[in-house]
C-alpha cells in the first residue's frame, strides 16, 4: 500500500523536513513501513526512513520527523509512504506536513526622481510625488548574490474635468 504526495518544489529552500504523526503496529518478519522520496516523477524512489518496530499507539500517535535536506534545491520532489506486509496489524498516518527554510532574499526599492528608498518586500503608504515617478526594485538572493531588477512608472491622470481642483 502506498500514499504519494503531489510534486513539491524545494528549489528555493535551504532546509526542509517532513513531519507526520503515525502508529505502526509491527508483528515482525519482513513487514515494513517506509518513507521514500522521488525526484523523477516516481520512476525511482530512495528510502529515507524505515520502520520495522512498533511506533506510537492507537490512542497516542508518534511524531515522525524526516530530514529532506538532501533534496533542497530540487524542483520535483515527491514523498511516498509505503507499507509492505504479508501479515501485519497496519500503519496509520495523520497530519503530514513539509516545512522548510526559504532562501533569504533582500529587497531594495528606489525612486527616480530620488525621494524614496525602502528595504521591505512590499512597502505601503508610499506617496507618489512628484509625478511621474519610476520605482525600481532589486531583489537579491543573499545566498548566491544573484539579483534581478524591475521598474514601474507611475504617472497618474491628473485631469480635472469638473473644475473643482480635485483630479478625477
Amino acid at each position: 500500500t502506498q500514499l504519494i504526495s503531489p510534486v513539491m518544489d524545494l528549489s528555493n529552500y535551504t532546509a526542509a523536513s517532513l513531519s507526520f504523526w503515525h502508529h505502526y503496529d509491527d508483528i515482525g518478519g519482513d513487514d515494513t513501513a517506509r518513507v521514500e522520496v522521488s525526484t523523477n516523477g516516481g520512476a525511482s524512489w530512495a528510502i529515507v526512513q524505515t520502520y520495522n518496530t512498533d511506533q506510537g499507539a492507537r490512542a497516542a500517535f508518534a511524531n515522525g520527523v524526516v530530514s529532506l535536506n538532501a533534496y533542497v534545491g530540487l524542483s520535483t520532489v515527491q514523498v511516498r509512504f509505503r507499507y509492505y506486509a504479508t501479515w501485519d496489524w497496519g500503519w496509520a498516518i495523520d497530519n503530514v506536513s513539509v516545512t522548510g527554510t526559504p532562501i533569504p532574499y533582500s529587497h531594495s526599492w528606489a525612486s527616480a526622481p530620488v525621494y524614496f528608498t525602502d528595504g521591505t518586500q512590499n512597502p505601503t503608504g508610499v506617496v507618489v510625488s512628484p509625478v511621474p515617478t519610476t520605482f525600481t526594485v532589486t531583489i537579491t538572493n543573499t545566498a548566491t548574490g544573484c539579483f534581478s531588477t524591475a521598474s514601474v512608472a507611475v504617472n497618474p491622470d491628473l485631469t480635472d474635468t469638473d473644475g473643482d481642483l480635485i483630479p478625477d
Side-chain angles (χ1 to χ4, degrees), residues 109 134-137 149-153:
W109 287 89
T134 299
F135 293 96
T136 302
V137 63
T149 300
S151 297
V152 62

Side-chain angles (χ1 to χ4, degrees), residues 157-168:
D157 181 358
L158 301 177
T159 304
D160 179 16
T161 57
D162 61 3
D164 64 359
L165 302 179
I166 299 172
D168 296 339

Side-chain angles (χ1 to χ4, degrees), residues 1-5 36 45 80-84 91 93:
T1 302
Q2 58 188 2
L3 174 65
I4 301 174
S5 77
E36 301 171 330
W45 295 89
R80 173 170 77 174
F81 296 91
R82 187 171 179 217
Y83 173 63
Y84 173 80
W91 190 21
I93 301 167

